[in-house]
Amino acid sequence: MKRIIYIPFDHLNQKYGALKNANPKEDLIVLVESARMTTGRDWHKERLFFLISSARHFAKSLEDAGFTVEYVKAETTIYGLKTVQAKHKITEVICAEPSSHRQFAALKEFGATFIANDFFLTPRPLFEDWAGSQKSFLMENFYRLQRSRLNILINKGKPTGGAWNFDKENRLPPPKKYEGPPYLEHKRDQIDLEVAKELGHTPTTTWATTRAGALAQLKNFINNHFAEFGPLEDAMTTDNWALHHSLLSPYLNNGLLHAEEVVAAAIKAFDAGKVPIESCEGFVRQIIGWREYVNGMYWFLAPDYRENNQLKATRKLLPLFTDSSKTKMNCIKETVSDIEERAWVHHIPRLMLLSNLALITGTNPQEFLDWMREVFIDASEWVMVPNVIGMGVHADGGAMMTKPYAAGGAYISRMSNYCRGCEYNPKLRIGESACPFTTLYWDFLDRHRETFVKNHRMSQQVFGLNQLSDLPELKLRAQEVLKGLDKGTI
Ligand SMILES: Cc1cc2nc3c(=O)[nH]c(=O)nc-3n(C[C@H](O)[C@H](O)[C@H](O)COP(=O)(O)OP(=O)(O)OC[C@H]3O[C@@H](n4cnc5c(N)ncnc54)[C@H](O)[C@@H]3O)c2cc1C
Ligand code: SF4
């Protein structure tokens, strides 16, 4: 063996990264299960199960393909690599560019040789050129460029369907008593059971841990959910935990699926007339737009971007985030219970419930970010940092998004059925029955009035705030609500 090819747990694909030119006769493949990754923090066990079992299945598939594989457990990745170097007397270590600043720096210092990271559709230098030429980093502008550059949903130079964006069609509330097709269940095999036993965890059947399972999930989405994905994209309901979301992020993020094949499958279904343009465009925008944009921004922004706290939010993480029994707010109780069960909720609960609550309660962004990183199945540093710090809690002062995603109970009431089962009333902002979101939304605007008055995109909200005749009572109620949230009694 001449060289070591190091495969991080999010590069699990033989066709991309360092494996695409690997030679079974010359290359020793190394995967490291580091203690830092497994025990370093209070990780959700479903997440650990998914990541470790996927990596062990992948190692086995490489052995079946004729590679020599070392799957080692070690204190840290670097320590694991050093052990393998010494055992096999090989010094050269090759790796595709890692997905976090921290791992990049550690492997660079160790002396690894990098090859370009092709797990995304946008090379890092290309995004840097785009971002470097922008005054504000509007995702929509980047997305249109991606559509043209990648020639996706483009017809004779124009957007297919006559528009770049079908968002207006994609904001339906949930239908009443909505069932939808059954979820795909993934059977557990021997490797899964071994990992589950080591972790002392009973896994769900929600997440696949093999490429075959990930492909089955893609097929299930395309055949059973894709057509209705768009219109119900923003809806939330207690009747159905995923609605028509694809549940593909974990596999896109750990390498079992590549964005290229996911988009190809989507376009094939659209070209065959199986899905309407609003669903196809909406989904394509998530993959070639948002996902690529967020990854590009992670690398474009400095490593210390994650430490931003421009709104000076100092509240400690609320107990309701780590324990769903610590709140009476139905929307949050249901969302946190879902996370406890399967480490996933879709985009709108992440943004308009969890992040919105952290934002308007003035929760410390880094505490909230750490919690989000620990509990989501698909959480990686590159995707959580811009989504939380930039989009979710506006901690970067608007560097990424021009205005904060703050909302009161009216939005949640319109887009979900949560409020019907809640002891609070989304229409009320003062009094014991007032919805905490509604009270705290106005309190938040008032606390940051001086900042927001300078932002022309916030003028309507500030105008609304100025019209409130009951602001003094509202401020008192807000203090009660914040105290109750801290104690876990609201
Ligand atoms: C505060 C916050 C935190 C988030 N944290 C993560 C995270 O840790 N990991 C993660 O993969 N996604 C994250 N997202 C984005 C999005 O919520 C998830 O990708 C999505 O819910 C995953 O479920 P799905 O595969 O069914 O997605 P779908 O709704 O079916 O969307 C399809 C795909 O689009 C991509 N996508 C959509 N929006 C985004 C986005 N904003 N950033 C990156 N990719 C996107 C994902 O790969 C997703 O699989 C976050 C969003 C917010 C607002
Ligand atoms: S009333 Fe408020 S707290 Fe209750 S479910 Fe609706 S938005 Fe959530």
Side-chain angles (χ1 to χ4, degrees), residues 268-394:
K268 193 171 160 204
F270 176 69
D271 286 346
K274 292 181 181 158
V275 293
I277 184 68
E278 59 270 23
S279 281
C280 187
E281 188 283 315
F283 184 69
V284 162
R285 177 146 32 94
Q286 306 307 314
I287 306 279
I288 73 166
W290 278 110
R291 185 168 190 274
E292 298 286 318
Y293 169 83
V294 160
N295 183 55
M297 288 305 286
Y298 175 79
W299 289 100
F300 180 73
L301 300 160
D304 62 357
Y305 175 82
R306 86 183 305 289
E307 305 309 329
N308 261 302
N309 186 0
Q310 306 265 338
L311 292 175
K312 301 196 172 25
T314 53
R315 184 169 301 281
K316 292 205 78 54
L317 191 75
L318 302 174
L320 52 72
F321 286 118
T322 47
D323 181 351
S324 59
S325 72
K326 293 277 163 51
T327 184
K328 292 187 275 191
M329 298 166 74
N330 198 34
C331 52
I332 295 292
K333 188 185 268 307
E334 291 282 347
T335 300
V336 176
S337 303
D338 276 0
I339 296 171
E340 287 165 349
E341 192 176 337
R342 57 182 86 80
W344 182 93
V345 291
H346 75 72
H347 186 77
I348 297 300
R350 293 187 204 200
L351 184 65
M352 301 310 293
L353 296 179
L354 302 170
S355 302
N356 183 17
L357 187 65
L359 172 73
I360 62 182
T361 52
T363 297
N364 176 265
Q366 285 68 40
E367 287 203 20
F368 179 64
L369 170 65
D370 285 347
W371 173 74
M372 292 281 280
R373 276 277 278 125
E374 283 161 17
V375 297
F376 277 99
I377 193 90
D378 54 13
S380 306
E381 187 78 357
W382 67 265
V383 56
M384 266 301 170
V385 169
N387 269 311
V388 170
I389 298 295
M391 180 153 39
V393 297
H394 204 69

Side-chain angles (χ1 to χ4, degrees), residues 41 108 345 359 464 485:
R41 285 159 63 163
K108 199 168 165 191
V345 291
L359 172 73
L485 287 171

Side-chain angles (χ1 to χ4, degrees), residues 135-152:
K135 274 197 194 131
S136 61
F137 309 110
L138 271 186
M139 200 299 284
E140 188 65 25
N141 293 345
F142 169 73
Y143 167 60
R144 291 181 189 189
L145 218 67
Q146 289 283 81
R147 289 267 295 273
S148 303
R149 181 176 75 83
L150 301 167
N151 196 22
I152 293 172

Side-chain angles (χ1 to χ4, degrees), residues 256-275:
L256 288 179
L257 291 180
H258 194 279
E260 206 171 334
E261 63 190 332
V262 171
V263 173
I267 297 299
K268 193 171 160 204
F270 176 69
D271 286 346
K274 292 181 181 158
V275 293

Side-chain angles (χ1 to χ4, degrees), residues 26-60:
E26 297 191 342
D27 297 322
L28 173 69
I29 315 299
V30 180
L31 288 93
V32 184
E33 192 179 302
S34 74
R36 195 181 176 282
M37 182 198 138
T38 51
T39 56
R41 285 159 63 163
D42 195 9
W43 300 111
H44 196 309
K45 289 225 172 133
E46 184 77 356
R47 176 195 148 83
L48 282 181
F49 165 78
F50 165 71
L51 292 174
I52 295 172
S53 191
S54 297
R56 291 196 196 170
H57 278 96
F58 186 68
K60 167 90 174 45

Side-chain angles (χ1 to χ4, degrees), residues 81-155:
L81 284 170
K82 281 184 180 163
T83 319
V84 179
Q85 274 181 321
K87 180 174 163 193
H88 291 268
K89 302 193 172 39
I90 310 174
T91 44
E92 189 180 5
V93 177
I94 315 274
C95 175
E97 290 164 335
S99 65
S100 75
H101 291 295
R102 191 193 51 77
Q103 203 185 25
F104 209 147
L107 284 165
K108 199 168 165 191
E109 197 191 328
F110 170 65
T113 305
F114 296 116
I115 61 167
N117 182 315
D118 56 1
F119 287 90
F120 291 84
L121 301 168
T122 319
R124 289 179 192 172
L126 199 144
F127 188 90
E128 231 175 278
D129 281 353
W130 174 78
S133 68
Q134 304 297 302
K135 274 197 194 131
S136 61
F137 309 110
L138 271 186
M139 200 299 284
E140 188 65 25
N141 293 345
F142 169 73
Y143 167 60
R144 291 181 189 189
L145 218 67
Q146 289 283 81
R147 289 267 295 273
S148 303
R149 181 176 75 83
L150 301 167
N151 196 22
I152 293 172
L153 292 180
I154 293 288
N155 203 345

